[in-house]
Amino acid sequence: MDPSSSQPAIETSGLTKRFGDRTAVDGVDLCVPRGSAFGFLGPNGAGKTTMIRMLLGLTHASAGQMLVLGHPVPAERGTALQRVGAIVEDPRFHPYLSGRENLRIVAAIRGPESTARIAPALARVGLSDRADEKVKRYSLGMRQRLGVARCLLADPLLLILDEPTNGLDPGGIQEFREMIRAMVEQEGRTVFISSHLLDEVEKICDAAAIVDRGKVVTQGPIAELAEGEARHELIIGVDDPRRAITLLDGAEQVREAHLSDEGLRVVLAGGPETAAAVNARLVSAGLAVTRLEPVRHSLEQRFLEITSRLDAAPDEVRA
Ligand code: ATP
């Protein structure tokens, strides 16, 4: 077995790209596990496209290393990219040829295995019925899907898609999401998706890195990113909330307690296990606790927290 097949799909360390005195990608350490959908999430100008261009060997890194499917880029770019399919900008096709004819041209260059993959690729992206129409009649969503079908001609282990749902309507986004999930779950491929849409990453991806101004702020499984670092909060239903606040204010397990629309909201000073001590304190003071529920942080809240923190402390970020 090829030893590189057990390595992450993408691994970078200290990856940096400078344009003059602007640092577009700044010391990025990224690890994208195999067989997952991984989101590279950041606002406009965060450095996502530049990162992807480096991974594909389209532009040189100023510093750092990267391995794609276990092979160093650019040293072994040819081998690394043999099983990679990528869409970096809007996929371009010959508009007066059909979708199938466009794929035939690409497959003819690649070889007979690729030609045999045309029909399954069209089926996978849901274009079998429309494959013989001219591409100029395709919607943007259909062109995006044809772009993915073109990637599939290489039977890729890794697909790299730069902002793939840009410009798609909600129906198109939903179809795209289902297609990506099927490629990951049924075919075991790895899909790396850059996006500025939090909701999209949360719905499609298993794991993500949040990037801002060229730096990866945090990365990991979606659920962990949403939880944040050490902020554990509870919503507590209690018969006398004001008395509860007095009891909890100043308690060593509690960082902050206040009333919200949903009830008493408590930020714990420790981990989730501290909730039991908070409950015991209320109950032993004779209060009736009717609800004690951890607050789930969505990735969106977390993303906004991170980016606004970065805005507030630019010197810290650049240091
Ligand atoms: P978007 O979502 O807007 O495409 P992005 O996250 O893909 O953003 P990049 O396109 O990678 O961001 O750009 C990152 C930074 O690098 C930006 O400040 C951009 O202006 C700068 N940049 C990108 N390419 C070049 C270049 N060829 N020359 C100079 N600066 C560049």
Side-chain angles (χ1 to χ4, degrees):
M1 198 174 88
D2 175 3
S4 60
S5 64
S6 57
Q7 287 182 281
I10 298 172
E11 206 171 5
T12 72
S13 77
L15 197 62
T16 299
K17 176 72 180 180
R18 286 184 280 269
F19 295 107
D21 57 7
R22 175 181 299 138
T23 306
V25 174
D26 195 355
V28 166
D29 299 335
L30 194 68
C31 181
V32 177
R34 294 223 185 192
S36 64
F38 190 96
F40 197 53
L41 175 65
N44 290 339
K48 305 182 295 294
T49 303
T50 306
M51 177 79 184
I52 287 178
R53 291 178 61 80
M54 282 192 285
L55 291 171
L56 297 172
L58 299 173
T59 187
H60 284 291
S62 311
Q65 278 88 42
M66 57 195 142
L67 296 174
V68 174
L69 297 176
H71 298 281
V73 174
E76 294 175 18
R77 177 177 185 264
T79 320
L81 299 188
Q82 245 165 27
R83 301 288 303 276
V84 176
I87 306 181
V88 182
E89 274 147 16
D90 282 353
R92 298 219 179 105
F93 299 99
H94 300 288
Y96 291 96
L97 298 180
S98 70
R100 194 187 311 275
E101 285 163 339
N102 268 280
L103 296 190
R104 277 197 193 124
I105 291 175
V106 177
I109 301 166
R110 288 192 157 267
E113 305 92 353
S114 293
T115 303
R117 289 184 198 123
I118 292 176
L122 286 165
R124 160 53 69 223
V125 303
L127 279 180
S128 302
D129 292 351
R130 309 285 301 269
D132 297 309
E133 282 178 40
K134 289 193 170 88
V135 166
K136 70 174 184 151
R137 297 210 195 98
Y138 280 16
S139 67
L140 177 63
M142 289 165 72
R143 279 202 295 276
Q144 291 284 27
R145 286 187 278 141
L146 188 61
V148 173
R150 183 164 63 189
C151 291
L152 292 176
L153 298 182
D155 190 17
L157 295 168
L158 169 65
L159 281 112
I160 298 181
L161 308 175
D162 192 15
E163 303 266 2
T165 62
N166 253 3
L168 299 190
D169 60 22
I173 293 177
Q174 164 95 11
E175 284 170 9
F176 203 86
R177 188 191 304 149
E178 285 164 10
M179 182 181 80
I180 301 288
R181 288 309 317 165
M183 290 196 297
V184 171
E185 284 162 23
Q186 296 164 21
E187 296 160 15
R189 303 185 202 273
T190 307
V191 184
F192 181 87
I193 300 175
S194 81
S195 178
H196 63 279
L197 301 171
L198 307 151
D199 181 53
E200 171 177 300
V201 166
E202 208 167 11
K203 286 185 178 141
I204 299 181
C205 297
D206 307 293
I210 297 179
V211 58
D212 198 276
R213 298 180 206 176
K215 284 185 192 278
V216 167
V217 184
T218 180
Q219 62 183 302
I222 296 285
E224 285 177 22
L225 293 184
E227 281 300 317
E229 284 132 20
R231 190 178 165 90
H232 295 283
E233 277 186 80
L234 301 172
I235 301 276
I236 301 177
V238 63
D239 57 348
D240 186 346
R242 292 196 184 281
R243 203 171 140 235
I245 289 193
T246 319
L247 276 167
L248 294 179
D249 233 2
E252 64 173 305
Q253 303 90 357
V254 173
R255 194 189 303 163
E256 191 193 315
H258 62 271
L259 278 178
S260 75
D261 292 346
E262 298 157 292
L264 178 61
R265 199 161 172 136
V266 172
V267 180
L268 298 174
E273 69 288 349
T274 325
V278 168
N279 186 39
R281 194 176 176 102
L282 295 173
V283 172
S284 63
L287 290 171
V289 176
T290 52
R291 176 184 175 207
L292 195 132
E293 187 182 320
V295 175
R296 305 247 167 259
H297 292 277
S298 74
L299 192 54
E300 178 159 16
Q301 279 167 310
R302 178 91 178 108
F303 183 72
L304 288 173
E305 270 168 32
I306 287 165
T307 44
S308 58
R309 176 160 55 82
L310 290 173
D311 277 342
D315 294 342
E316 187 190 319
V317 175
R318 290 196 188 104

